[in-house]
Amino acid sequence: AGLSQWFPALELLDVSGTGLTEMGTELLSLPCLHTLLAKNNRLGGPGSLPKGLGQAPLARSLRVLNLSGNRFSEVPPALLQLRGLRSLSLGGNRLQGIPPDIQELHSLEFLYLGGNFITAIPPELAKLPSLRYLVLCDNKIQSIPPQLAQLHSLRSLSLHNNLLTYLPREILNLVHLDELSLRGNPLVVRFVRDLTYNPPSLQELAGRTVKTRNIPYTPSDLPESLVRYLSLASNCPNPKCGGVYFDSCVRQIKFVDFCGKYRLPLMHYLCSPECSSPFSSASQSSTSQSESDSEDEASVAAHRMQKVLLG
Amino acid sequence: MEQPVQTETWKARSLEELVRILHQIFAEDKVSVEEVQALMESYESNPEEWLQYAKFDQYTRNLVDNGNGKFNLMILCWGEGHGSSIHDHTDSHCFMKILQGNLKETLFEWPEKKGNGEMTKKSERVLRENQCAYINDSIGLHRVENISHTEPAVSLHLYSPPFNSCNTFDQRTGHKHKVTMTFYSQFGERTVC
């Protein structure tokens, strides 16, 4: 029976600020519930969400769920079964992380996770194709995975008040971004070179040679572990280099300069200290077409991002 | 604005009355900052009167009245976690009254001429419902933020003379950048850009 017996047409239910410690099975039968607001309650313990949520009519109809101001220390797994969810807020809870299975919420457009204790972002978050607003402010995030640049629909990214020292250069690929907040992060302001470059191992050097010289091999030629190792080669981002690396790389922070007004530290991965970054300064001696092309790309992207940051 | 000989103590019993009294005050040659601030504070926020102007879409500026060219009165909606850049007020007077929720105001010193260091914070405070803050360029610069992760905020702003561009400042370097502001809606109607 449940609530649908009395309110079969209910579309919006607001139980915010009512001291709830759990939401019961009476909600499950509501076939038209579109919006559920349960802010500022005492939800977060086991049984906060009703059993059988994933199979209920509610799971298909719900579009907006607001659980901000509660006591969740993890995203409850049952929540990830709400396949039609477009907007989710878990602001002001006690979340320590984001589960990779967040990618199950493939209709999600708005995700608010500000004001928690999140330390890292799983790359799986980037698999949400419709995500337009992502709020991660007031957390403890130290780095952004470069995969986040795959969020093609992203309009707004809120990262203020975290522990970021740099950003991945891929962030410049977010062409639809209107809003990006970065204040209150310890972003590095001076050029920082990774001084603890560990020279590549013999295995790595051999692997690089196999890959760059296209030395043919079959699974029967090598132990399975080495076949797997060879499949993990990453391409050096320098388009002129064409090299690969496995574990040994140089992390280099380059600053994209927005006409001298705002400098954003972006992290580049290079295969060796001798390899030059695609975003080298204009004072480089050799200026082939591809190098100046990538410089142009960088300054166009920088110009666009300047408007976003300072607008 | 200078202090007139006698300061009226107004009580605005509705938003409409507030606008009417503002027109009256600004029709005079001399307007007192204290008088306007007291008037704005005296209005007890009633959402029924302003909900038509409060268009929620993250962060919006909604024009309520254009004061016969003497001032602009607008309603700003702040989504959870939303904040403004550090900005100046283009030599105008700025009054900000909270209609719903809370807003944190952080005051900053003007950066040095050839500034290349972190800007200096002067003070910060959280403004509660119905409180009205005042700022102008001689007082300093400020950042306004809704620091709540659960409640949106709504504020009523009066700017005199009206202006549509100002400078935003990078907190880390003091560098400034001119921006033009637009209205999301005017007189309750969505503005098509």
Side-chain angles (χ1 to χ4, degrees), chain B residues 62-178:
Chain B
N62 306 276
L63 184 66
V64 174
D65 192 271
N66 58 18
N68 287 332
K70 299 270 185 77
F71 63 83
N72 266 353
L73 188 69
M74 65 189 76
I75 281 181
L76 269 63
C77 296
W78 310 75
E80 295 89 315
H82 242 83
S84 73
S85 315
I86 302 173
H87 59 275
D88 63 11
H89 298 86
T90 322
D91 290 326
S92 289
H93 303 267
C94 160
F95 299 84
M96 174 172 74
K97 180 200 173 70
I98 313 298
L99 294 177
Q100 178 186 298
N102 301 292
L103 288 174
K104 176 173 157 187
E105 181 194 31
T106 309
L107 289 181
F108 289 87
E109 302 276 9
W110 280 88
E112 303 291 308
K113 263 292 181 197
K114 283 282 174 182
N116 231 318
E118 181 97 26
M119 284 175 70
T120 314
K121 231 184 257 198
K122 279 197 340 180
S123 64
E124 63 182 43
R125 59 174 167 167
V126 176
L127 296 158
R128 310 280 170 199
E129 269 179 29
N130 285 314
Q131 272 189 282
C132 179
Y134 169 77
I135 194 169
N136 65 45
D137 283 350
S138 68
I139 292 175
L141 308 167
H142 71 180
R143 182 197 303 285
V144 181
E145 309 171 78
N146 176 9
I147 52 174
S148 171
H149 296 292
T150 58
E151 313 308 321
V154 183
S155 54
L156 180 68
H157 295 238
L158 187 149
Y159 298 106
S160 177
F163 61 94
N164 61 6
S165 75
C166 69
N167 291 301
T168 60
F169 295 78
D170 175 5
Q171 188 170 347
R172 297 182 311 156
T173 59
H175 286 137
K176 70 179 182 193
H177 177 74
K178 185 173 171 185

Side-chain angles (χ1 to χ4, degrees), chain B residues 53-63 75 77 181-186 188-193:
Chain B
Y53 303 107
K55 314 279 186 204
F56 274 97
D57 187 6
Q58 294 307 298
Y59 172 74
T60 61
R61 301 173 79 242
N62 306 276
L63 184 66
I75 281 181
C77 296
M181 296 107 76
T182 54
F183 291 114
Y184 188 87
S185 76
Q186 299 195 34
E189 301 279 325
R190 177 82 173 93
T191 321
V192 180
C193 305

Side-chain angles (χ1 to χ4, degrees), chain A residues 230-298:
Chain A
L230 286 171
S231 71
L232 292 174
S234 301
N235 290 314
C236 181
N238 182 359
K240 281 185 66 190
C241 172
V244 299
Y245 64 92
F246 292 85
D247 308 304
S248 174
C249 64
V250 179
R251 300 181 331 152
Q252 194 180 68
I253 292 185
K254 281 272 186 191
F255 289 92
V256 181
D257 199 354
F258 302 104
C259 313
K261 290 200 196 304
Y262 196 96
R263 281 152 53 96
L264 201 63
L266 300 175
M267 182 63 87
H268 299 257
Y269 291 86
L270 302 167
C271 61
S272 75
E274 288 74 43
C275 189
S276 58
S277 157
F279 297 153
S280 314
S281 68
S283 61
Q284 288 291 87
S285 45
S286 66
T287 39
S288 78
Q289 190 58 37
S290 65
E291 196 169 280
S292 51
D293 275 351
S294 60
E295 271 174 42
D296 288 338
E297 267 175 49

Side-chain angles (χ1 to χ4, degrees), chain A residues 90 115 126 153 156 179 195 202 207 209 219 231 239 270 277:
Chain A
L90 279 160
S153 304
S156 174
E179 251 191 345
L195 296 171
L202 285 175
T209 307
S231 71
L270 302 167
S277 157

Side-chain angles (χ1 to χ4, degrees), chain A:
Chain A
L3 284 171
S4 62
Q5 191 184 8
W6 307 102
F7 307 110
L10 195 64
E11 291 181 1
L12 185 150
L13 179 61
D14 188 349
V15 290
S16 300
T18 55
L20 280 176
T21 52
E22 35 183 68
M23 292 200 287
T25 50
E26 59 270 11
L27 285 174
L28 295 180
S29 53
L30 290 165
C32 305
L33 198 71
H34 179 285
T35 300
L36 177 56
L37 309 174
K39 309 192 291 191
N40 300 319
N41 283 305
R42 293 185 207 151
L43 299 166
S48 293
L49 298 183
K51 270 195 166 63
L53 181 58
Q55 294 72 40
L58 182 63
R60 286 190 297 280
S61 63
L62 205 62
R63 298 282 174 267
V64 177
L65 178 59
N66 192 328
L67 293 169
S68 61
N70 279 289
R71 300 168 185 192
F72 288 99
S73 56
E74 58 164 23
V75 179
L79 200 152
L80 301 174
Q81 294 169 3
L82 298 169
R83 297 301 163 91
L85 209 60
R86 302 238 171 94
S87 168
L88 173 62
S89 176
L90 279 160
N93 275 278
R94 301 170 186 177
L95 299 179
Q96 314 241 344
I98 306 170
D101 285 342
I102 193 93
Q103 62 181 312
E104 306 281 306
L105 297 175
H106 44 72
S107 304
L108 212 58
E109 295 174 16
F110 177 94
L111 180 58
Y112 193 109
L113 295 172
N116 280 287
F117 302 107
I118 296 168
T119 53
I121 302 172
E124 288 82 358
L125 187 59
K127 299 243 178 84
L128 295 170
S130 312
L131 201 64
R132 295 163 63 110
Y133 296 98
L134 178 57
V135 182
L136 294 165
C137 61
D138 294 293
N139 275 293
K140 306 281 177 201
I141 299 168
Q142 296 184 27
S143 72
I144 305 293
Q147 291 86 344
L148 228 60
Q150 290 161 29
L151 288 168
H152 298 298
S153 304
L154 207 63
R155 297 279 184 282
S156 174
L157 177 57
S158 164
L159 291 168
H160 58 271
N161 300 332
N162 272 290
L163 299 172
L164 298 170
T165 48
Y166 59 82
L167 298 176
R169 69 170 175 82
E170 288 82 356
I171 204 120
L172 295 179
N173 298 343
L174 289 168
V175 291
H176 292 121
L177 208 61
D178 282 329
E179 251 191 345
L180 171 62
S181 67
L182 289 170
R183 66 181 186 279
N185 277 288
L187 294 175
V188 293
V189 289
R190 288 175 318 118
F191 184 78
V192 169
R193 184 120 178 191
D194 188 356
L195 296 171
T196 57
Y197 168 63
N198 290 316
S201 61
L202 285 175
Q203 178 173 290
E204 165 124 14
L205 287 172
R208 289 187 185 196
T209 307
V210 167
K211 282 291 177 182
T212 52
R213 304 234 182 129
N214 284 315
I215 296 174
Y217 62 92
T218 65
S220 55
D221 296 327
L222 299 167
E224 197 196 313
S225 59
L226 287 181
V227 174
R228 230 189 344 236
Y229 179 81
L230 286 171
S231 71
L232 292 174
S234 301
N235 290 314
C236 181
N238 182 359
K240 281 185 66 190
C241 172
V244 299
Y245 64 92
F246 292 85
D247 308 304
S248 174
C249 64
V250 179
R251 300 181 331 152
Q252 194 180 68
I253 292 185
K254 281 272 186 191
F255 289 92
V256 181
D257 199 354
F258 302 104
C259 313
K261 290 200 196 304
Y262 196 96
R263 281 152 53 96
L264 201 63
L266 300 175
M267 182 63 87
H268 299 257
Y269 291 86
L270 302 167
C271 61
S272 75
E274 288 74 43
C275 189
S276 58
S277 157
F279 297 153
S280 314
S281 68
S283 61
Q284 288 291 87
S285 45
S286 66
T287 39
S288 78
Q289 190 58 37
S290 65
E291 196 169 280
S292 51
D293 275 351
S294 60
E295 271 174 42
D296 288 338
E297 267 175 49
S299 59
V300 165
H303 232 76
R304 188 180 58 229
M305 204 53 89
Q306 174 190 26
K307 288 185 64 182
V308 167
L309 280 165
L310 301 176

